[in-house]
Amino acid sequence: MLRTRFVCALVAGVCVAAAWEIVRQELTDRPLAAGALVAALLAAAGLAAAAVAPRRVLARAGRRLAETRKHWLTAARGEQVPPRCGVAVLVIGLAAFGLLLPRFLSLENDPSRDDQGAFLETARNVADRGGPASLLADLYAGRFAEANRHPLYIALLSLSPRFESGRVLSAVMAGAALIVTSLLCARRFGLATAGFFAVLLATNAAFCRFATSVVCEVLVVLLSGLAWFAWTGPERPAASPPPERPVR
């Protein structure tokens, strides 16, 4: 038990040193470095608590870690992962997105330098002509000449065609894309796969960047995910082999 406490304290010290180095080099304005800083501080706090925890608490945590490791090893051989492990990873993914989103929102973002300005201009034109209803009429009549920007995003943006409103719209769509596709993934492949999917998507720098920009990429992620799950249909159980006939 003393060895476990020593290892926890040592690793906690390493995490604190890593966090201090990030702060010392003034890297906190970078999203990945900021995420690493938060992760290092959380890990240091958890390990420090483990180093001074009562013996019974530390023993119970060790047993649970051993059980979790056993479950993950058996999962590699095709057995099912405990639902609580998948839920924990899924919650980590959602929490990571919640921590990274404000950081990306605080980054410098000039809409005049990229396609965001064109989205805003098109949305303002749609708003001036009557909003989403007018856009729908133009789509059916073939009068909407824009072919490079998703009309659904333009319709929603036209309700409030301002830069800050557009960023909020993209952030809401990104959150919806993350939650909906993760839940569909959980239904199809299980909670463990959904958890890792959520972590990978939530910590993807491009996804977070588009989630805070006035562009339609996150909407495409949501619609593409829905289309893929609808097209592939529910997972079918593997067909069992026919029973063998007894040899006479």
Side-chain angles (χ1 to χ4, degrees), residues 150 177 180-181 184 197 216-232:
H150 203 292
V180 171
T181 52
L184 290 174
F197 168 82
C216 65
E217 272 72 6
V218 289
L219 175 62
V220 174
V221 172
L222 174 60
L223 297 180
S224 299
L226 292 174
W228 186 86
F229 280 103
W231 177 260
T232 54

Side-chain angles (χ1 to χ4, degrees), residues 55-65:
R55 184 182 182 88
R56 63 180 183 278
V57 175
L58 201 57
R60 189 184 306 118
R63 288 194 299 269
R64 290 185 177 179
L65 286 175

Side-chain angles (χ1 to χ4, degrees), residues 15-224:
C15 292
V16 171
W20 170 250
E21 188 65 18
I22 293 173
V23 174
R24 189 182 68 82
Q25 295 190 18
E26 300 180 353
L27 300 175
T28 54
D29 57 338
R30 302 180 182 180
L32 292 179
L37 175 62
V38 173
L41 292 176
L42 291 176
L47 291 168
V52 298
R55 184 182 182 88
R56 63 180 183 278
V57 175
L58 201 57
R60 189 184 306 118
R63 288 194 299 269
R64 290 185 177 179
L65 286 175
E67 291 175 0
T68 301
R69 178 177 178 272
K70 179 181 178 181
H71 283 304
W72 283 108
L73 291 176
T74 56
R77 297 193 293 267
E79 300 180 22
Q80 187 177 6
V81 177
R84 64 177 180 273
C85 297
V87 172
V89 179
L90 183 60
V91 170
I92 290 173
L94 298 178
F97 183 70
L99 291 173
L100 290 173
L101 192 63
R103 186 68 193 92
F104 275 87
L105 284 171
S106 66
L107 295 178
E108 181 181 358
N109 191 346
D110 186 358
S112 63
R113 296 180 179 179
D114 49 33
D115 205 31
Q116 296 180 94
F119 270 99
L120 290 168
E121 181 180 358
T122 306
R124 293 190 188 102
N125 293 335
V126 171
D128 293 339
R129 293 198 305 269
S134 174
L135 175 60
L136 183 62
D138 289 342
L139 287 171
Y140 274 102
R143 294 190 298 266
F144 186 70
E146 178 58 58
N148 193 36
R149 297 171 187 89
H150 203 292
L152 178 56
Y153 186 87
I154 294 294
L156 297 174
L157 183 60
S158 67
L159 298 174
S160 181
R162 295 181 295 109
F163 179 59
E164 294 302 327
S165 300
R167 299 186 79 186
V168 172
L169 174 64
S170 294
V172 171
M173 287 183 175
L178 176 63
I179 294 173
V180 171
T181 52
S182 297
L183 291 178
L184 290 174
C185 191
R187 183 179 181 183
R188 176 72 60 83
F189 304 110
L191 286 170
T193 303
F196 284 110
F197 168 82
V199 169
L200 292 174
L201 182 60
T203 57
N204 184 280
F207 181 75
C208 292
R209 186 66 177 176
F210 288 132
T212 55
S213 302
V214 189
V215 288
C216 65
E217 272 72 6
V218 289
L219 175 62
V220 174
V221 172
L222 174 60
L223 297 180
S224 299

